[in-house]
Amino acid sequence: MKTSVIGYPRIGVQRELKFASEKYFRNEITADELDRIAKQIRLSAFEVQKKNSIDFIPSNDFSLYDGMLDTAFLLNVIPERYRALNLSGLDTYFAMARGYQGELGDVKALAMKKWFNTNYHYMVPELDDDTNIRINTDKPFKLFLEALENGIKTKPVIIGGYTFLKLAKYTGNKDKWSFSEKITDSYVEIIDKLVSLGAEWIQLDEPCLVNDMTESDKKHFISLYKKILERKGNAKILLQTYFGDVRDCYGEICGLDFDGIGLDFVEGTKNIGLIATKGFPKNKTLFAGVINGKNIWKNNYRCTFDIISKLKKVCGETVLGTSCSLLHVPYTLRNETKLPENYKKHFAYAEEKLSELSELRTIISSGNPEKTNEFINNTLLFRERRVEEDDRVKEKISALSDKDFVRLPEFAEREKIQKSALKLPLFPTTTIGSFPQTEEIRQARASYRRGDMTEEKYEKFIKEKIAQCVELQEKIGLDVLVHGEFERNDMVEYFGQCLNGYIFTEKAWVQSYGTRCVKPPVVWGDISRARPMTVKWSSYACSLTEKPMKGMLTGPVTILNWSFPREDISLRESAFQIALAIREEVLDLEKSGISVIQVDEAALREKLPLRKSDRSSYLDWAIPAFRLVHSGVKPETQIHTHMCYSEFSDIIKEIDNMDADVITFEASRSDLSILDDLKENHFRTEVGPGVYDIHSPRIPSKEEIKTSLRKMVSKISPEKLWVNPDCGLKTRGTDETVHSLKNLVEAAKELRKENNA
Ligand code: GLN
Ligand code: ZN
């Protein structure tokens, strides 16, 4: 039995790629130096996989920024506005990733979207009628050869043509699928070239196959692959899927001339049934994703052996693999020097998952049932009861009744009460919460954490920053102010630290987009609030201004979705536990005089099942969890929420049903089509569609913001429109932030005039 890895983390064990790229952006290192660091990261990934005797080690899974962007670049899908800058190849690539503002021009980045149900984000390729698809770079070939030179014949990985076209945005007048022919030619050329360099297996990633597929989707998928596979020559093509099951196209996949099919048996719980009922072609290799690429718990070998033994009855050659790319888990437990062994022994990061793969292979290959059983029993020790239960939390959850999820009076009445209490102008301006986190602030937090700075000094420092931030916002002229979130390293970890039941890692970084990484905390036990979380900072900020001060919290679904969750109780149960803890904080903020409270649900959509028919099982607890947080506040307290994307047209009723008073969301990177959906659905929650993109250092002009706002006013009733950036400002520099916000406030003022307010 062989083992395979779909993809490996690439940001560097110590986030070397992040730091190097950022240096490159600041012109502190050259392209060659960046390349050298990238190469080291790739080689060490090969090395560790080789050490664990992985048979199918991926190459070209590495990316300087994002895999979809790489594929666009590879296929010459480079919009004219980036070409026109006349930059080097690398800088054109980064301009697509981050936008460009300088002597040569001023262009926005490509849109960025969530990668399926993960916290990873991909760059959305843009096709237009002038796009000339052809091979533009040699990256897959270079990386294959690089590994070969180091003695490893890898399995090159490329995002497949169906997923590429499906996720790309098309702005032309023809049909997106008219590119199929060029796509086919390009993939055939890539395959040929790789084979001529010595590749045997080539992995084409087609995660879009786990989404709902229409008949026309199926038709496009089949016709694309029929043509590619007819011309594949000696190559062995692995069709790799992940993040779910392939219930809509299982038969079609089996009928095509793929040499291997990769299925996810962790999230794709229906895959095993498909194989059992429909069989599996004997002439194909099954790549069975049994090691969870998304969570950090040790594999449950009992389950895995069960799956394997079921598969063995039906399938021919079977390869053990990861359920998806290991990109979504941290590198290695070896760097967790502080976490006690009794926790650590339950964990497996990417590197440990490699040893799980090789351990599983050894024992399965031994074919000795007694040994296998003994082995399973030993590893089951790691599944021992590990959670300190908290009966009080459990009792509270079971005592909840319907009325705990309902806020009264109902929305329309509250809206009136709040309008007269808050006395805000038309088109009120605000921000999403965080202000630029300077090096000084990061340093202060770090030295406080290390114990080098006393609590007293630290508090004084943060309060100074809050005061400066409040002063700045007053000067800029914003209407609803924030304290700036300087006390937070992260919108989840910070709250986790104030909750019982959470544990924290030191180095469990996971890439979120480009150079940005997150370090999800771990839900270990039953959750309850250990102490007040934000009241001290928010009420201090509130005391400094006459304007409304927004209290800032992270919502239960986001806290859970951005943590590594427990697998021994349901997500619903964990979400309600967190909701009760955040509810206590909401009520304390209200008591301390905060009249506007924002409960961020940046990640509400993250674990939304990819298929429509599976969604209610998630929304049926996620929306109530949010409602539970705010149902106890007074009518005049205004509840805001924020989401980091605008893709909610398919769950728009549910979003409205969260029963917040105001929702801010990302709208600047994607087109404003969400506005039509809001209108059509009579969305009643007030809305702040972000008027500029904070993921890029580019400063939006006043005119540009006004243009967006005018578009918004044409679709949204002016009384319901808020004006704000599309997310928190913590990753931005101070100067660009001040400029941008000034333009934002000016734009809102002029728009008020235009609307006679
Ligand atoms: N309040 C948070 C901030 O401004 C929200 C961040 C987010 O949505 N990712 O940083
Ligand atoms: Zn956001």
Side-chain angles (χ1 to χ4, degrees):
M1 201 161 220
K2 291 185 171 167
T3 53
S4 173
V5 168
I6 294 179
Y8 207 68
R10 60 210 185 190
I11 201 75
V13 179
Q14 305 285 354
R15 287 181 293 158
E16 293 87 342
L17 184 63
K18 169 193 171 67
F19 299 118
S21 308
E22 286 170 351
K23 277 191 190 148
Y24 179 73
F25 301 152
R26 292 192 301 263
N27 280 323
E28 290 166 19
I29 62 169
T30 64
D32 283 346
E33 279 167 283
L34 176 60
D35 191 48
R36 192 179 49 79
I37 289 162
K39 183 170 177 176
Q40 271 168 9
I41 292 172
R42 292 192 296 265
L43 293 184
S44 67
F46 292 146
E47 204 46 49
V48 62
Q49 292 179 82
K50 190 171 153 189
K51 214 178 78 198
N52 285 284
S53 318
I54 302 298
D55 301 287
F56 294 92
I57 297 177
S59 64
N60 197 44
D61 55 333
F62 177 83
S63 174
L64 281 175
Y65 204 90
D66 165 53
M68 274 298 269
L69 180 60
D70 290 4
T71 315
F73 212 68
L74 171 67
L75 298 173
N76 198 37
V77 181
I78 303 170
E80 181 50 36
R81 62 179 184 279
Y82 301 107
R83 291 181 193 280
L85 295 169
N86 268 317
L87 296 163
S88 69
L90 181 65
D91 289 344
T92 307
Y93 172 91
F94 281 134
M96 290 163 77
R98 313 172 60 239
Y100 177 91
Q101 194 168 37
E103 287 158 15
L104 302 169
D106 182 359
V107 282
K108 287 192 201 173
L110 290 176
M112 187 164 75
K113 279 195 182 159
K114 261 187 180 311
W115 182 239
F116 297 84
N117 52 1
T118 72
N119 185 22
Y120 180 75
H121 301 73
Y122 70 97
M123 307 303 303
V124 183
E126 246 176 65
L127 296 156
D128 58 42
D129 289 338
D130 295 329
T131 306
N132 175 19
I133 294 186
R134 60 174 171 77
I135 307 302
N136 174 58
T137 65
D138 61 355
K139 177 181 164 244
F141 319 121
K142 205 181 106 189
L143 300 197
F144 176 77
L145 287 175
E146 174 185 276
L148 204 58
E149 274 161 27
N150 285 274
I152 302 172
K153 182 179 274 194
T154 53
K155 166 195 64 172
V157 178
I158 296 163
I159 293 175
Y162 172 73
T163 294
F164 181 78
L165 277 181
K166 194 73 194 152
L167 298 183
K169 179 170 144 192
Y170 174 55
T171 54
N173 300 315
K174 290 181 273 179
D175 172 9
K176 198 197 236 185
W177 296 98
S178 61
F179 289 101
S180 296
E181 217 180 290
K182 285 282 175 62
I183 286 275
T184 305
D185 291 345
S186 301
Y187 277 81
V188 170
E189 198 181 324
I190 295 167
I191 292 168
D192 277 354
K193 179 89 195 266
L194 285 168
V195 170
S196 75
L197 297 175
E200 275 170 52
W201 281 87
I202 294 162
Q203 172 183 321
L204 298 179
D205 283 3
E206 289 289 6
C208 272
L209 299 182
V210 310
N211 284 336
D212 287 330
M213 287 175 88
T214 61
E215 283 308 313
S216 119
D217 288 335
K218 278 201 257 185
K219 199 186 81 206
H220 291 307
F221 167 72
I222 295 170
S223 91
L224 183 72
Y225 273 99
K226 258 202 174 132
K227 289 184 201 133
I228 292 178
L229 295 169
E230 265 165 21
R231 295 161 59 194
K232 74 182 163 92
N234 291 331
K236 291 194 171 168
I237 303 294
L238 161 60
L239 173 77
Q240 184 65 58
T241 68
Y242 38 82
F243 302 144
D245 64 71
V246 292
R247 70 183 89 149
D248 287 349
C249 60
Y250 181 73
E252 286 80 359
I253 291 175
C254 291
L256 285 161
D257 193 19
F258 292 110
D259 302 274
I261 296 179
L263 300 177
D264 172 353
F265 293 98
V266 175
E267 271 186 285
T269 46
K270 289 208 158 61
N271 280 334
I272 191 93
L274 289 170
I275 289 188
T277 53
K278 302 192 173 174
F280 188 83
K282 281 274 181 290
N283 60 344
K284 297 192 196 310
T285 307
L286 173 70
F287 286 71
V290 289
I291 298 284
N292 191 340
K294 282 186 171 177
N295 213 342
I296 43 136
W297 306 109
K298 274 206 147 136
N299 188 263
N300 183 340
Y301 285 151
R302 169 83 66 205
C303 280
T304 302
F305 278 103
D306 271 358
I307 293 172
I308 302 290
S309 65
K310 283 184 191 148
L311 294 177
K312 274 195 155 169
K313 287 190 193 123
V314 186
C315 307
E317 191 180 358
T318 304
V319 175
L320 291 175
T322 55
S323 66
C324 59
S325 167
L326 295 176
L327 172 70
H328 310 290
V329 290
Y331 268 92
T332 170
L333 271 175
R334 281 184 294 128
N335 288 336
E336 297 295 345
T337 55
K338 297 197 182 113
L339 209 58
E341 196 46 42
N342 56 332
Y343 296 118
K344 255 186 357 191
K345 70 180 183 188
H346 298 278
F347 293 169
Y349 295 176
E351 192 174 325
E352 292 74 30
K353 287 177 193 284
L354 298 177
S355 19
E356 290 189 331
L357 277 174
S358 75
E359 222 168 61
L360 279 166
R361 176 191 40 207
T362 311
I363 197 72
I364 290 172
S365 305
S366 83
N368 176 340
E370 253 164 54
K371 251 194 148 167
T372 307
N373 250 331
E374 191 190 312
F375 177 74
I376 291 178
N377 287 336
N378 284 339
T379 53
L380 278 179
L381 287 180
F382 294 115
R383 311 291 301 180
E384 77 210 356
R385 211 174 124 88
R386 60 182 148 82
V387 175
E388 289 161 60
E389 314 259 332
D390 184 341
D391 290 334
R392 283 165 318 164
V393 176
K394 289 199 164 58
E395 277 156 28
K396 274 192 200 161
I397 302 272
S398 53
L400 290 173
S401 70
D402 290 352
K403 67 175 191 337
D404 295 303
F405 298 90
V406 181
R407 182 174 175 202
L408 290 172
E410 58 90 53
F411 179 86
E413 196 170 324
R414 287 187 333 247
E415 195 178 26
K416 274 186 231 140
I417 296 173
Q418 290 164 18
K419 287 240 189 273
S420 72
L422 290 167
K423 300 196 177 53
L424 293 169
L426 191 68
F427 310 128
T429 54
T430 190
T431 60
I432 308 302
S434 60
F435 264 66
Q437 298 243 334
T438 56
E439 197 44 43
E440 186 199 12
I441 293 168
R442 268 190 267 269
Q443 294 278 335
R445 264 199 321 257
S447 68
Y448 171 60
R449 224 178 17 243
R450 282 196 305 268
D452 296 347
M453 193 189 242
T454 62
E455 167 123 28
E456 210 180 30
K457 252 185 126 179
Y458 176 70
E459 195 166 320
K460 191 165 160 265
F461 173 85
I462 296 287
K463 284 189 166 168
E464 260 168 43
K465 294 292 151 197
I466 291 177
Q468 286 163 7
C469 183
V470 172
E471 199 187 319
L472 177 68
Q473 293 172 83
E474 291 205 316
K475 220 156 98 201
I476 293 172
L478 288 152
D479 299 309
V480 174
L481 311 194
V482 297
H483 74 285
E485 301 184 15
F486 304 111
E487 76 286 4
R488 301 179 197 174
N489 46 341
D490 177 283
M491 64 186 286
V492 171
E493 186 169 79
Y494 178 81
F495 289 92
Q497 274 157 351
C498 307
L499 295 170
N500 299 313
Y502 260 97
I503 56 172
F504 301 90
T505 63
E506 221 180 317
K507 285 279 157 49
W509 294 102
V510 179
Q511 190 176 19
S512 169
Y513 70 86
T515 55
R516 185 147 176 79
C517 296
V518 292
K519 191 154 64 72
V522 181
V523 186
W524 179 264
D526 288 326
I527 305 284
S528 59
R529 189 174 74 148
R531 54 187 163 274
M533 306 163 169
T534 59
V535 176
K536 177 167 67 186
W537 310 123
S538 288
S539 57
Y540 173 68
C542 188
S543 74
L544 302 172
T545 176
E546 294 295 303
K547 293 199 166 167
M549 175 60 59
K550 212 167 21 165
M552 280 298 154
L553 302 172
T554 304
V557 186
T558 297
I559 292 185
L560 183 63
N561 283 351
W562 279 347
S563 304
F564 290 114
R566 281 166 74 169
E567 289 179 349
D568 60 327
I569 64 170
S570 67
L571 290 174
R572 173 185 181 277
E573 176 101 12
S574 281
F576 282 10
Q577 292 183 358
I578 301 169
L580 284 177
I582 301 295
R583 179 186 170 98
E584 283 177 34
E585 186 72 13
V586 165
L587 294 174
D588 279 358
L589 279 172
E590 186 181 58
K591 242 186 257 154
S592 79
I594 306 288
S595 53
V596 182
I597 301 171
Q598 179 172 311
V599 183
D600 290 328
E601 282 293 13
L604 184 97
R605 224 200 133 92
E606 190 145 316
K607 294 209 162 96
L608 181 72
L610 297 169
R611 292 179 186 276
K612 288 219 168 65
S613 56
D614 298 343
R615 287 190 176 164
S616 61
S617 63
Y618 172 82
L619 292 166
D620 285 354
W621 58 260
I623 305 297
F626 183 85
R627 296 174 62 116
L628 184 55
V629 165
H630 70 91
S631 62
V633 300
K634 294 184 287 195
E636 50 271 44
T637 301
Q638 189 169 62
I639 298 292
H640 289 218
T641 188
H642 164 72
M643 288 178 189
C644 286
Y645 45 82
S646 59
E647 274 172 71
F648 50 78
S649 43
D650 52 347
I651 51 167
I652 210 151
K653 293 261 185 263
E654 285 82 359
I655 302 287
D656 223 9
N657 203 19
M658 290 165 77
D659 206 20
D661 298 303
V662 180
I663 174 169
T664 58
F665 52 89
E666 181 272 337
S668 57
R669 275 201 167 198
S670 39
D671 53 30
L672 294 171
S673 61
I674 180 70
L675 303 181
D676 294 315
D677 299 319
L678 296 176
K679 193 172 172 179
E680 248 164 55
N681 285 281
H682 309 286
F683 200 72
R684 57 171 193 179
T685 313
E686 295 184 8
V687 292
V691 293
Y692 77 87
D693 172 20
I694 64 87
H695 304 89
S696 133
R698 196 177 161 275
I699 297 168
S701 69
K702 179 181 76 183
E703 285 311 316
E704 187 180 326
I705 299 178
K706 261 168 61 186
T707 310
S708 305
L709 285 173
R710 284 194 198 110
K711 255 192 228 159
M712 293 175 190
V713 174
S714 72
K715 305 271 166 83
I716 296 168
S717 145
E719 290 72 41
K720 287 208 186 274
L721 185 62
W722 286 68
V723 181
N724 44 264
D726 71 356
C727 196
L729 300 162
K730 67 172 164 231
T731 55
R732 295 274 62 92
T734 304
D735 285 352
E736 71 209 38
T737 298
V738 172
H739 266 96
S740 303
L741 290 178
K742 276 188 179 157
N743 291 349
L744 177 146
V745 166
E746 281 310 307
K749 280 188 183 153
E750 292 182 16
L751 208 77
R752 278 172 207 152
K753 277 197 204 123
E754 283 177 20
N755 285 267
N756 306 318

